[in-house]
Amino acid sequence: MNLPDLKSIREAYKRIAPFIHRTPVLTSSYLNRETGAEIFFKCENFQKVGAFKFRGACNAIMQLDRASGEKGIITHSSGNHAQAVALAAKMNGYKATIVMPHNAPKVKVNAVKGYGASVVFCKPTIEARQESADEIIHATGATFIHPYNHPHVIAGQGTSALELLDEVSGLDVLMAPVGGGGLISGSAIASKSLNPEISVIGGEPELADDAYRSLQSGKIEPVLRTDTVADGLRTSLGELTFKAIRNYVDQIITVPEESIIRDMRTVWERMKIIIEPSCAVPLSVIMDNKEMFKGKRIGLIITGGNVDLNHLPW
Amino acid sequence: MNLPDLKSIREAYKRIAPFIHRTPVLTSSYLNRETGAEIFFKCENFQKVGAFKFRGACNAIMQLDRASGEKGIITHSSGNHAQAVALAAKMNGYKATIVMPHNAPKVKVNAVKGYGASVVFCKPTIEARQESADEIIHATGATFIHPYNHPHVIAGQGTSALELLDEVSGLDVLMAPVGGGGLISGSAIASKSLNPEISVIGGEPELADDAYRSLQSGKIEPVLRTDTVADGLRTSLGELTFKAIRNYVDQIITVPEESIIRDMRTVWERMKIIIEPSCAVPLSVIMDNKEMFKGKRIGLIITGGNVDLNHLPW
């Protein structure tokens, strides 16, 4: 598998543009004043299914030939990728099956079913998920869409940076959180190709600093704990995203849980938009390192807005 | 005191346009599907101070002559009007004093102080508020800015409907919640003057149905309870807003608390924006009376996004 290049990201954009939202770019005079920087928030929380993940899933599924698609689409996820695959499959007239742990929150199960996908429950381990998926693939010939370690998914995720750089000129820095690495990979490839001078910085929770450690050790390090509040970032890198990060990302900076919760709340209160904890991570990187970002024009990708309103972290 | 007309609302808009945000109009395919209508949400939660109230306060304060302004601005409010007056005064270089009950939430007191206003505390009764304000007016010659029963405030509040009708053509219905009536008055005057065919419908909580009862009895009826979750709507009409509502509003429809909480939550979950409970009231009117609104193009003013994230109603 090869990494996508700017050309594939542009093709992805052309392919998915009629089906995605061109999400707004918001600014906050309060946060600009607080940080001394100028921050442009690319709001993928307003994307279909409430997260950037729809871009990648849509791009991957639209590139399947009809015969493969009709054998079905499958993935395992209890997060935004599940909903993204469910909706993208439905829009293409394909049947999607989502493997989820039997203890997945009911609201997430219902969201996936709401997009017309079938849910297959498994034990809540990584092995059990893959086994269940493999069984179904074996039986039906369905195509597996990986949440991040997939060139078409990475290309799709890169399209939000493409929109952002098209809309806001002269960015010094591009920032995104790092989970499995699909978003930061696509974003870094797109923005470094368009502007080699731009600095691409990933944010990670201290409690899930696997990408930070991977860059240091030179090999993919596992996530050691899964208790960060940034529930979208509890995943390790894949071969492909690790390669992209090594080649295109300048730096990964980690932040503590308190900062993530504080800045998530600040965005809710000041910008009046619902963001997931993961989105706050790059903002916390800025807030906790103000000198580093002073006077810079920063593009920051807000990844999604799917939160359980009954369990807020404050 | 006379009601403003379309001309005064247009002049207000010209006056305040450089200082306000032109707020976005959002749509939700989910809510359109659910209601069978086409709803255009005019998002004043993204307005300065997080609420439409800034428009009215700004318009009123900008019309003071310099000498009066320099004697100071005063109001009593523990809500969005307090912050609106504080910021509008500051932007004009005037000193603002806000009379607040001593048990006002600390977050609201701090917000007002954050905009540079002085806070004077009083006993938590309507009489005590007015007395404290009168004392200060007597001593300083400060100008009192009423939260709604004031032609310049009403004209300012009408400017959001002006923007909405400019941006979205062919609206059949314009909707807003009714508290003291400043917003619905300005909106109704603006939209009926621009399009006499448009239907203007106000929404009220059943627990604060004073405007509904006032229209029936032909005189201003008091709010009988102050326990509705829609904390922005716990006020009775003034002479001026009652006159505007009688002349320009087609109908006021009331909704129960459960609907308000349900629809506030739906907007958070589906649209990923933070809205106050008051904003959900007109949406609940649609959700609870779907047949009445089927196939209509509806403009709905989202009044504000200032909520206490530690005390959500679900």
Side-chain angles (χ1 to χ4, degrees):
Chain A
M1 286 194 300
N2 285 320
L3 281 175
D5 56 10
L6 179 60
K7 185 163 167 280
S8 357
I9 297 174
R10 284 200 163 126
E11 285 165 0
Y13 188 57
K14 214 171 147 186
R15 188 176 295 120
I16 66 176
F19 306 101
I20 60 171
H21 291 308
R22 181 168 179 130
T23 53
V25 177
L26 300 183
T27 59
S28 159
S29 48
Y30 172 80
L31 286 171
N32 286 348
R33 214 162 48 235
E34 278 296 302
T35 59
E38 211 176 344
I39 312 175
F40 299 88
F41 295 91
K42 175 67 173 166
C43 290
E44 290 294 305
N45 51 336
F46 296 140
Q47 189 50 267
K48 287 205 174 131
V49 314
F52 76 91
K53 292 272 184 183
F54 182 67
R55 294 174 183 264
C58 198
N59 187 47
I61 290 172
M62 287 181 77
Q63 280 183 83
L64 296 177
D65 61 83
R66 201 74 220 161
S68 306
E70 278 168 2
K71 290 183 184 155
I73 314 288
I74 186 164
T75 197
H76 50 62
S77 162
S78 53
N80 293 333
H81 178 65
Q83 295 181 49
V85 165
L87 179 61
K90 185 183 162 194
M91 286 167 79
N92 282 276
Y94 300 147
K95 186 180 164 341
T97 306
I98 314 293
V99 177
M100 287 179 127
H102 61 69
N103 59 357
K106 211 178 158 191
V107 56
K108 300 211 167 185
V109 175
N110 288 342
V112 164
K113 286 184 178 168
Y115 290 117
S118 312
V119 175
V120 170
F121 292 103
C122 68
K123 283 187 199 159
T125 67
I126 292 175
E127 297 72 29
R129 285 185 182 200
Q130 195 60 52
E131 261 172 44
S132 300
D134 287 344
E135 273 172 33
I136 295 166
I137 294 166
H138 187 74
T140 62
T143 301
F144 183 77
I145 307 285
H146 195 277
Y148 48 88
N149 204 45
H150 185 309
H152 299 168
V153 170
I154 293 174
Q157 317 306 28
T159 59
S160 69
L162 213 57
E163 286 181 352
L164 177 56
L165 270 75
D166 175 59
E167 190 164 335
V168 184
S169 62
L171 287 180
D172 302 301
V173 184
L174 187 108
M175 301 181 79
V178 184
L183 176 67
I184 193 92
S185 296
S187 305
I189 295 168
S191 47
K192 283 282 191 187
S193 309
L194 287 164
N195 171 16
E197 300 300 306
I198 204 169
S199 179
V200 178
I201 298 178
E204 267 194 326
E206 283 175 1
L207 296 190
D209 64 343
D210 57 294
Y212 176 81
R213 286 183 286 106
S214 300
L215 273 189
Q216 292 205 313
S217 71
K219 61 180 175 53
I220 296 175
E221 300 288 345
V223 174
L224 300 175
R225 303 167 55 159
T226 57
D227 53 352
T228 173
V229 66
D231 55 339
L233 309 180
R234 293 171 186 158
T235 6
S236 311
L237 302 177
E239 293 296 337
L240 214 50
T241 54
F242 182 44
K243 190 172 159 192
I245 289 171
R246 281 213 286 191
N247 290 345
Y248 296 96
V249 173
D250 294 282
Q251 204 178 345
I252 289 178
I253 299 176
T254 62
V255 286
E257 297 291 297
E258 311 84 79
S259 301
I260 301 170
I261 296 169
R262 174 197 69 204
D263 296 329
M264 174 183 173
R265 184 167 177 150
T266 301
V267 168
W268 284 43
E269 288 182 339
R270 292 289 174 159
M271 298 183 65
K272 313 296 178 192
I273 59 173
I274 308 252
I275 64 165
E276 298 173 0
S278 308
C279 310
V281 171
L283 179 59
S284 294
V285 169
I286 304 174
M287 293 289 268
D288 289 357
N289 302 276
K290 286 183 188 170
E291 276 311 310
M292 183 176 169
F293 294 98
K294 214 166 201 166
K296 306 270 192 227
R297 281 167 74 84
I298 304 169
L300 192 161
I301 300 176
I302 293 287
T303 49
N306 294 327
V307 288
D308 181 349
L309 294 176
N310 289 330
H311 296 97
L312 297 175
W314 44 73
Chain B
M1 285 194 303
N2 285 319
L3 281 175
D5 57 10
L6 179 60
K7 187 164 165 278
S8 359
I9 298 174
R10 284 200 163 125
E11 284 166 2
Y13 188 58
K14 214 170 149 187
R15 188 176 295 120
I16 67 176
F19 307 100
I20 60 170
H21 291 308
R22 183 168 177 129
T23 52
V25 177
L26 300 183
T27 58
S28 160
S29 47
Y30 172 81
L31 285 172
N32 286 348
R33 214 162 48 235
E34 277 297 302
T35 58
E38 210 176 345
I39 311 175
F40 299 88
F41 295 91
K42 174 67 173 167
C43 289
E44 290 294 304
N45 52 337
F46 296 140
Q47 188 51 267
K48 288 206 175 131
V49 313
F52 76 92
K53 293 271 185 184
F54 183 66
R55 295 175 182 264
C58 199
N59 187 48
I61 290 173
M62 287 180 77
Q63 280 183 83
L64 295 178
D65 60 84
R66 201 75 220 161
S68 306
E70 278 168 3
K71 290 184 187 157
I73 313 288
I74 185 163
T75 198
H76 50 61
S77 161
S78 53
N80 293 333
H81 179 63
Q83 296 181 49
V85 165
L87 180 61
K90 184 183 164 195
M91 288 167 78
N92 283 276
Y94 300 146
K95 186 179 162 346
T97 306
I98 315 292
V99 178
M100 288 178 126
H102 62 69
N103 59 357
K106 212 177 157 191
V107 55
K108 300 211 167 185
V109 176
N110 289 341
V112 164
K113 287 184 177 169
Y115 290 117
S118 311
V119 175
V120 170
F121 293 102
C122 68
K123 285 188 197 156
T125 67
I126 292 175
E127 296 73 28
R129 285 185 181 199
Q130 194 59 53
E131 260 172 45
S132 302
D134 287 344
E135 273 172 34
I136 296 166
I137 293 166
H138 187 73
T140 62
T143 301
F144 184 75
I145 307 284
H146 195 278
Y148 50 88
N149 203 45
H150 186 310
H152 299 167
V153 170
I154 293 174
Q157 317 305 28
T159 60
S160 70
L162 214 57
E163 285 182 355
L164 177 56
L165 270 75
D166 175 58
E167 189 163 335
V168 183
S169 61
L171 287 181
D172 302 301
V173 184
L174 187 107
M175 299 182 80
V178 184
L183 176 66
I184 193 92
S185 295
S187 305
I189 295 168
S191 48
K192 283 281 189 185
S193 308
L194 286 164
N195 172 15
E197 301 298 307
I198 205 169
S199 177
V200 177
I201 298 178
E204 268 194 326
E206 284 175 0
L207 296 190
D209 63 344
D210 58 293
Y212 176 81
R213 286 184 285 107
S214 302
L215 273 189
Q216 293 204 312
S217 72
K219 61 181 176 52
I220 297 176
E221 300 288 345
V223 174
L224 300 175
R225 302 168 54 160
T226 56
D227 53 351
T228 173
V229 67
D231 55 339
L233 308 181
R234 292 170 188 160
T235 6
S236 310
L237 302 178
E239 292 297 337
L240 214 50
T241 54
F242 182 44
K243 189 173 159 191
I245 289 171
R246 280 211 286 191
N247 290 343
Y248 296 96
V249 173
D250 293 283
Q251 204 178 347
I252 290 179
I253 299 175
T254 62
V255 287
E257 297 292 296
E258 312 83 78
S259 301
I260 301 170
I261 297 169
R262 174 198 69 204
D263 295 328
M264 174 183 173
R265 184 167 178 150
T266 301
V267 168
W268 286 43
E269 288 182 340
R270 291 290 174 158
M271 297 183 67
K272 313 296 180 193
I273 60 174
I274 308 253
I275 64 164
E276 299 172 0
S278 308
C279 310
V281 171
L283 179 59
S284 295
V285 169
I286 305 174
M287 294 289 268
D288 289 358
N289 302 277
K290 287 183 188 169
E291 277 311 310
M292 183 176 168
F293 294 97
K294 214 167 201 165
K296 305 270 191 228
R297 280 166 75 82
I298 304 169
L300 192 161
I301 300 177
I302 293 288
T303 49
N306 294 325
V307 287
D308 181 350
L309 294 176
N310 289 330
H311 296 96
L312 296 174
W314 44 74

